[in-house]
Amino acid sequence: MSNVEIDEAYRPSEDEEYMNPKQVEYFKRKLLRWKEQLLLESQKTLEYLKERQWSQADSTDRASVESETGLELRTRDRYFKLIEKIDAAIERCNKNTYGFCEETGESIGIRRLEARPIATLCIEAQEKHEKYERNHAE
């Protein structure tokens, strides 16, 4: 953590200077808590898979176990990719580039970062990307 002291009740405000040290520290802590939660969930999955009865006598039971396991592993894969994005956002906090659009350099905005702390694009750039993807997916 940095030297910036913030109260647990602190919430960034639109009235403050955008991405001041308190705001950056707030989002960095939020990202670290999120990452910790995902890692804990992943650990629970590993323990679950180790304890799972893999030699079910009934083929239906075996199929059910395999299906559940596949779903768990896909979820953990999504978590892994999300953790990579969280790590990248934490790195942007460390480099003082967090909260600014990677395409335009404009602010992403407090409300958008509260909803999606790993956001790298402002709303306008995100909409442009989504429109491009829709047009080129066909």
Side-chain angles (χ1 to χ4, degrees):
M1 300 279 175
S2 73
N3 295 337
V4 177
E5 291 293 323
I6 60 172
D7 187 285
E8 285 299 317
Y10 170 79
R11 295 294 174 266
S13 164
E14 301 285 344
D15 300 333
E16 302 173 81
E17 176 189 349
Y18 186 70
M19 284 301 120
N20 66 61
K22 280 179 115 177
Q23 288 183 354
V24 172
E25 182 65 18
Y26 168 84
F27 283 109
K28 187 174 181 180
R29 288 181 185 188
K30 184 174 186 149
L31 289 159
L32 288 167
R33 281 191 305 271
W34 191 13
K35 178 180 176 179
E36 187 176 305
Q37 179 184 13
L38 292 171
L39 289 171
L40 184 61
E41 286 293 319
S42 294
Q43 186 61 39
K44 287 179 184 177
T45 297
L46 288 175
E47 291 169 11
Y48 167 79
L49 292 175
K50 285 180 188 176
E51 295 170 0
R52 192 72 178 158
Q53 294 295 327
W54 293 101
S55 57
Q56 300 289 332
D58 185 281
S59 63
T60 304
D61 289 340
R62 221 178 4 259
S64 178
V65 168
E66 289 173 8
S67 178
E68 289 174 15
T69 301
L71 180 61
E72 284 288 332
L73 292 174
R74 283 190 300 279
T75 300
R76 298 308 152 226
D77 185 53
R78 283 194 301 276
Y79 281 7
F80 179 73
K81 291 173 182 172
L82 189 51
I83 288 169
E84 288 178 335
K85 291 179 180 183
I86 292 170
D87 285 340
I90 292 168
E91 185 61 27
R92 290 191 303 278
C93 287
N94 293 336
K95 291 181 177 180
N96 294 319
T97 59
Y98 181 81
F100 295 94
C101 180
E102 290 182 347
E103 282 194 8
T104 66
E106 298 292 318
S107 66
I108 292 173
I110 297 296
R111 288 177 41 208
R112 178 160 166 73
L113 290 172
E114 281 283 10
R116 185 156 176 82
I118 57 173
T120 60
L121 301 173
C122 62
I123 294 284
E124 295 80 18
Q126 183 68 42
E127 288 172 348
K128 182 179 165 186
H129 269 267
E130 289 172 5
K131 185 178 179 181
Y132 177 84
E133 287 177 7
R134 275 193 308 272
N135 291 337
H136 288 83
E138 298 167 356

